[in-house]
Amino acid sequence: MTGTTTEFIMNILVIVFLITGTFFVISASIGVIRFPDVYTRLHASTKAATLGISGIMIGAFIFLYVEHQIVSGKLILGIIFILLTAPVSAHMIGRAAHSIGIKPWSQDGNTKDEYADTLKEK
Amino acid sequence: MNELINTIAIVCMIVVTISIALLLFRVIKGPTNPDRAVALDAIGVNLMGMAGLSAILLVTTRLNDVILLIGILLFVGTVGLAKYLEKGVIIDRDDD
């Protein structure tokens, strides 16, 4: 009885994690489509896609543990790797976009670009 | 219960496929080159999710190496692309 109850709760957890992760993944890609600028697109892609992929990986981890009794460390390692490397790559793309001269988007056209001012002072 | 999880995984794969299609639109259309780099990065992250959902559907553990490999190649590729966009060279030499 307790075994089936635990299995039921684990399966519900798998379903909840999968649906949450997929929702964040599709919202990240809608953000990449809809936002007006490179920097805002980086914001959408990095944060939301990282959260969504963490949800899917945790769901797969729990599913493999319930189904095979295998604690797969590689999935957890993948989550940690994505959490470490997504901000680094986003920072590098943002710096490259700024250095080849893409202005930050604004509705009225007079955004204050403090990073450019700092680079000019140096 | 397993049929329900299989159905949910198939629906999630369809949604991730739609997300990859939207990002592919941004890769093709994107006004500047950093837009394309951002969309390619997000496509790689979605491919990792696709491999995880395949591991659920096939009830196997052999796709975990594939997930790690996609993540590492994605990071190296994005850093190389960003350095190329910034300076035009990827590997610096000190002989000038």
Side-chain angles (χ1 to χ4, degrees):
Chain A
M1 184 61 199
T2 55
T4 57
T5 310
T6 313
E7 211 165 291
F8 183 75
I9 293 173
M10 287 295 185
N11 287 332
I12 293 296
L13 266 182
V14 169
I15 291 171
V16 167
F17 273 119
L18 281 188
I19 291 179
T20 315
T22 313
F23 168 73
F24 277 108
V25 164
I26 190 72
S27 72
S29 108
I30 289 174
V32 171
I33 285 291
R34 291 284 294 166
F35 274 139
D37 192 9
V38 183
Y39 311 107
T40 48
R41 275 171 200 151
L42 270 175
H43 157 77
S45 148
T46 306
K47 295 181 184 67
T50 305
L51 186 57
I53 221 64
S54 302
I56 292 180
M57 291 299 161
I58 290 172
F61 178 80
I62 297 175
F63 179 78
L64 285 181
Y65 178 66
V66 171
E67 206 65 28
H68 277 283
Q69 281 78 37
I70 286 176
V71 179
S72 164
K74 285 165 192 167
L75 288 171
I76 302 297
L77 203 59
I79 296 175
I80 294 173
F81 194 79
I82 277 293
L83 283 178
L84 282 179
T85 59
V88 177
S89 55
H91 172 77
M92 290 203 69
I93 292 177
R95 203 178 57 179
H98 191 275
S99 77
I100 66 173
I102 295 174
K103 299 292 178 206
W105 177 83
S106 69
Q107 223 162 11
D108 48 359
N110 50 6
T111 311
K112 183 160 175 50
D113 193 357
E114 294 199 5
Y115 184 42
D117 298 340
T118 310
L119 284 183
K120 208 178 294 175
E121 282 173 7
K122 271 182 187 174
Chain B
M1 208 66 194
N2 275 329
E3 290 84 8
L4 184 59
I5 289 185
N6 270 343
T7 316
I8 296 274
I10 288 174
V11 171
C12 288
M13 272 189 110
I14 292 171
V15 175
V16 173
T17 311
I18 293 171
S19 148
I20 289 180
L22 292 178
L23 289 169
L24 206 58
F25 170 75
R26 181 53 74 193
V27 169
I28 294 169
K29 183 175 173 290
T32 58
N33 277 335
D35 286 319
R36 297 189 173 97
V38 171
L40 279 175
D41 194 28
I43 281 180
V45 172
N46 283 356
L47 277 181
M48 285 178 68
M50 206 77 154
L53 290 172
S54 305
I56 288 180
L57 273 180
L58 300 174
V59 200
T60 180
T61 60
R62 308 191 177 195
L63 286 173
N64 301 342
D65 299 332
V66 180
I67 292 171
L68 269 183
L69 192 63
I70 291 175
I72 293 165
L73 286 182
L74 178 71
F75 177 62
V76 175
T78 308
V79 168
L81 201 55
K83 288 200 74 163
Y84 169 69
L85 285 176
E86 190 171 2
K87 285 189 255 178
V89 295
I90 297 176
I91 300 173
D92 293 329
R93 290 186 186 166
D94 288 333
D95 56 355
D96 53 352

